[in-house]
Amino acid sequence: MPEPNSLLRAVREATASRQVTGARMSRRELAEAACAWLWETTRQRFPLDAHYIAKIERGAVGVPSDHYRAALRAVLGVATDADLGFATTPKTSSVPAVIVSTPASVSTVKEVLMSAADESAEFLAWAESTNVGELTIEQMHSEVRRIARSYLKMPTLPLFARTKALRDRAFTLLAGHQAPQMSRELYAAAGWSLTVLAWMSVDLGRPDAAEDHARTAWLCAERADYNPLRAWVRATQHTASFWQDDYLTAADYAADGLKYSATGSAELYLSSALALDLARAGDAAPAAEALQRAQDAANQLTRADDELAGPFTCSLDRAGSLWADTRLSLGEADEALAYADRAVAAFEATPVHLRNLGSERMTRLVQTKAHLVRGDMGGAEHTLGPVLETAPQHRVRPLLHRVAEVDMIAAQTGNPTDPITRRVRSSIAEFQRDSVIKELSA
């Protein structure tokens, strides 16, 4: 804290050559000039007046707020806080320093009362200030929706960088000061962007990195107190565990996510995913129960009213893909093929700009595997063809993993001298070779 009158001396020295109406700048004029500067630079009103200047001069407050010090430096034409009589600048908090005990220099009842009132007024100005507005919040949520809609329709890495920039912006704003409701909105925007990053990390072959994003996304969902985000974070954590072959952990995440899935299509996705997790884990009866719950949810779903598109919505065709994979994992190839055929037909009937192309490709691979298990190599070749035409920038790691499974099943079930078998395996090898070249050049 400066000694009493230290700012007074600094003000007098700094204004020795600054004449206002022919006289040295008064406290009132200094306060008015500082408030004018603050308005020009922040577009905020501050309760800085002559009385507060006097209180600073006599040492009745500690170090003024960042805004006030900046205004005084600008108005008085000095470079540092030391020139104002403050030896150091606080670095820990932007919350105004409120005096909790009466300084010895405050000797009258009037000064005590006015000092307390000034401190309350300064806190009011700080509490009303914000570093983010409604339009910024709206823009950030709009951006994350655009990213989700673009997913798997444009190259993943540039979209990843764009999503990371949105996350970083949300983090930066959260480090500032805003009203609690604005903070919740920022946490929601940060949580959605983190969830997108986690999903992309799985597709780029790093489910371990996805787990880090998802844990932070869960914290954001808790701070935002927003169930749709909670549900899709759990769905993303399920996905990260699933692609590490940890089906029981994936099932735990899916089951927990169902607690928060009262809106949109999250319940349809999570119950379908839970059925597949349990089937892959070998728990046939619980898998069948989860599959029934998923089908009940499908019957009750009027439309997928989800906040985000892309991975964070579940249409009936996407759910059908998971049901087909569940049946196949339970050893029911005929039922799996029936589900997969219906799902692919639904995908094909959907306008291209609305289709979940990633889920469609995975569904075609379930079709292919079901054909192979049933011994129908010709059917497998037919359903595999569109998948092998996937552009290199959209050959995400789960897709490559599933194609490798198809190749393994083809090797086990096909006749190596059969021309169709040779074509299928040769086309897969070429697809994998091109994908490796693409990955090495990325």
Side-chain angles (χ1 to χ4, degrees):
M1 179 187 297
E3 294 297 324
N5 297 322
S6 60
L7 180 58
L8 174 61
R9 289 193 299 272
V11 168
R12 295 298 180 256
E13 292 171 1
T15 60
S17 60
R18 295 171 66 94
Q19 299 299 313
V20 178
T21 63
R24 196 175 271 138
M25 185 180 288
S26 67
R27 290 170 178 164
R28 179 181 61 80
E29 290 165 338
L30 176 58
E32 289 175 352
C35 286
W37 184 89
L38 285 166
W39 171 252
E40 289 296 324
T41 56
T42 70
R43 290 298 170 185
Q44 295 180 37
R45 301 292 185 187
F46 289 84
L48 179 62
D49 57 13
H51 182 77
Y52 190 77
I53 294 294
K55 187 174 65 172
I56 297 174
E57 289 179 348
R58 67 175 180 261
V61 297
V63 180
S65 67
D66 293 343
H67 283 127
Y68 285 1
R69 295 197 315 277
L72 290 171
R73 290 195 304 269
V75 170
L76 298 176
V78 298
T80 68
D81 289 346
D83 294 327
L84 295 176
F86 301 108
T88 59
T89 299
K91 299 181 180 179
T92 56
S93 175
S94 59
V95 180
V98 177
I99 301 303
V100 295
S101 60
T102 303
S105 58
V106 179
S107 57
T108 69
V109 172
K110 179 180 178 180
E111 287 178 322
V112 170
L113 295 177
M114 292 307 298
S115 176
D118 287 338
E119 291 157 2
S120 296
E122 184 179 359
F123 182 82
L124 173 64
W126 176 84
E128 284 189 331
S129 66
T130 180
N131 66 335
V132 64
E134 292 182 1
L135 290 177
T136 298
I137 294 292
E138 181 182 334
Q139 189 277 330
M140 294 179 73
H141 282 281
S142 178
E143 174 69 1
V144 77
R145 285 193 295 271
R146 282 195 294 269
I147 289 170
R149 285 196 299 268
S150 301
Y151 191 41
L152 294 183
K153 297 175 183 177
M154 63 177 292
T156 303
L157 277 177
L159 203 60
F160 186 94
R162 184 171 156 192
T163 310
K164 180 179 179 296
L166 179 64
R167 179 208 65 179
D168 293 346
R169 186 181 182 199
F171 283 176
T172 298
L173 291 172
L174 281 167
H177 176 246
Q178 60 276 153
Q181 179 56 40
M182 289 295 187
S183 295
R184 285 192 290 272
E185 292 288 348
L186 282 174
Y187 274 116
W192 281 122
S193 63
L194 284 158
T195 307
V196 175
L197 289 175
W199 203 279
M200 290 179 177
S201 296
V202 172
D203 279 352
L204 292 170
R206 292 305 304 265
D208 53 339
E211 291 175 340
D212 292 333
H213 292 304
R215 273 191 290 269
T216 309
W218 180 258
L219 172 64
C220 290
E222 292 283 271
R223 294 288 174 85
D225 193 20
Y226 194 43
N227 279 344
L229 178 55
R230 286 186 177 107
W232 283 108
V233 171
R234 287 302 193 221
T236 305
Q237 290 174 306
H238 138 80
T239 303
S241 295
F242 181 88
W243 287 106
Q244 296 177 86
D245 297 331
D246 188 354
Y247 302 122
L248 291 178
T249 299
D252 288 342
Y253 280 130
D256 190 66
L258 285 167
K259 300 175 184 176
Y260 311 101
S261 59
T263 62
S265 63
E267 181 177 8
L268 178 58
Y269 178 82
L270 285 163
S271 53
S272 301
L274 177 60
L276 178 56
D277 296 335
L278 293 171
R280 288 294 182 101
D283 294 337
E289 292 176 6
L291 185 58
Q292 184 60 55
R293 175 173 178 172
Q295 292 168 339
D296 291 341
N299 292 332
Q300 297 170 7
L301 184 70
T302 55
R303 66 188 182 94
D305 187 16
D306 292 294
E307 187 168 336
L308 270 64
F312 309 109
T313 188
C314 188
S315 57
L316 293 179
D317 42 15
R318 186 183 186 191
S321 175
L322 295 169
W323 301 348
D325 207 353
T326 299
R327 289 297 188 188
L328 191 61
S329 299
L330 293 173
E332 302 167 0
D334 291 342
E335 292 84 351
L337 184 59
Y339 278 126
D341 286 346
R342 286 194 292 270
V344 168
F347 279 121
E348 291 177 337
T350 303
V352 174
H353 70 283
L354 296 177
R355 281 155 75 168
N356 186 325
L357 298 175
S359 291
E360 181 177 343
R361 295 177 191 122
M362 299 298 271
T363 308
R364 292 183 185 277
L365 290 174
V366 176
Q367 271 185 312
T368 303
K369 290 163 68 175
H371 279 302
L372 289 173
V373 171
R374 296 172 72 248
D376 183 4
M377 188 63 67
E381 182 181 33
H382 175 72
T383 55
L384 180 62
V387 177
L388 299 185
E389 294 172 0
T390 303
Q393 65 268 27
H394 297 314
R395 296 178 186 181
V396 295
R397 189 59 60 88
L399 181 70
L400 297 176
H401 185 82
R402 285 287 181 262
V403 170
E405 287 182 351
V406 168
D407 186 48
M408 181 180 66
I409 298 173
Q412 293 170 347
T413 61
N415 183 343
T417 63
D418 176 42
I420 300 179
T421 302
R422 289 201 302 268
R423 283 200 305 270
V424 166
R425 299 206 63 203
S426 175
S427 61
I428 290 175
E430 183 178 356
F431 177 86
Q432 292 173 324
R433 183 168 55 251
D434 291 346
S435 301
V436 170
I437 292 172
K438 171 254 179 183
E439 187 169 343
L440 291 175
S441 62

